[in-house]
Amino acid sequence: MNRRVKRWLCPPLFFQTMNFVEKRKLLKESNFLELTPVKVMAHEIREEGLVNILMPRFKNIYLSRMFQPRRKEKVIKIKLDASGSKVWLKIDGITKVSEICEHLAAENPSLFTSVPETETRVTRFLSMLYLQRYITFREIQ
């Protein structure tokens, strides 16, 4: 293939997405409370009001048809506790982490006693969700 043709087939650098390591490095350098979380996975609400995150077993359709047993569910349900469910339901893609912490501290004083403690718990929880790739952040997409 000609070099000139090959260069035109490659997208420009500003269209290329960052890989996960570069995103994690950018996340470490930024202020976590100023980021806006966005859900990547779907969810369902159990009868107790708690949340199950629905993670597909296979992302590729052909692999799911080949390897997935017919009678098994197509998703894996990840069960969240009460505080995790409240945080998950507050994620809407518009609200920043600091605003989520303030809302949770005001609405649930029994679960979240003070704003600084709430900020540490929520940022740890959201960083774990990000590392498991259940959420992403609008600023580093």
Side-chain angles (χ1 to χ4, degrees):
M1 184 178 260
N2 191 342
R3 279 187 163 196
R4 203 175 279 170
V5 173
K6 189 175 182 181
R7 186 185 317 151
W8 286 105
L9 291 177
C10 296
L13 287 176
F14 59 87
F15 283 124
Q16 294 177 354
T17 59
M18 293 185 285
N19 63 16
F20 189 72
V21 175
E22 292 170 345
K23 286 182 183 179
R24 190 173 59 190
K25 182 180 176 187
L26 184 65
L27 181 67
K28 286 182 180 180
E29 294 172 356
S30 63
N31 183 4
F32 206 88
L33 295 173
E34 295 302 318
L35 297 176
T36 308
V38 179
K39 295 176 190 173
V40 175
M41 302 286 176
H43 72 277
E44 67 180 12
I45 300 176
R46 291 181 273 169
E47 55 269 353
E48 304 95 27
L50 302 177
V51 173
N52 285 340
I53 299 175
L54 304 175
M55 184 179 77
R57 289 187 188 270
F58 294 98
K59 292 183 180 180
N60 191 333
I61 296 170
Y62 301 112
L63 288 177
S64 68
R65 288 182 184 166
M66 288 175 52
F67 296 117
Q68 184 170 333
R70 299 281 181 228
R71 300 194 188 266
K72 275 201 163 184
E73 290 189 31
K74 296 184 181 200
V75 294
I76 298 171
K77 296 180 180 179
I78 296 128
K79 298 178 181 179
L80 299 179
D81 63 344
S83 59
S85 297
K86 292 188 185 306
V87 172
W88 181 265
L89 292 175
K90 292 286 182 187
I91 297 173
D92 58 359
I94 301 170
T95 313
K96 295 192 178 293
V97 176
S98 59
E99 297 169 6
I100 291 174
C101 294
E102 290 170 5
H103 287 293
L104 289 173
E107 290 177 2
N108 306 309
S110 61
L111 283 175
F112 304 102
T113 56
S114 65
V115 175
E117 180 188 340
T118 305
E119 289 175 351
T120 57
R121 288 179 65 185
V122 170
T123 54
R124 282 184 187 170
F125 177 68
L126 290 177
S127 64
M128 291 304 298
L129 288 179
Y130 177 73
L131 290 176
Q132 297 296 323
R133 298 181 186 188
Y134 301 147
I135 63 168
T136 187
F137 294 100
R138 183 174 300 266
E139 290 80 9
I140 59 174
Q141 283 182 343

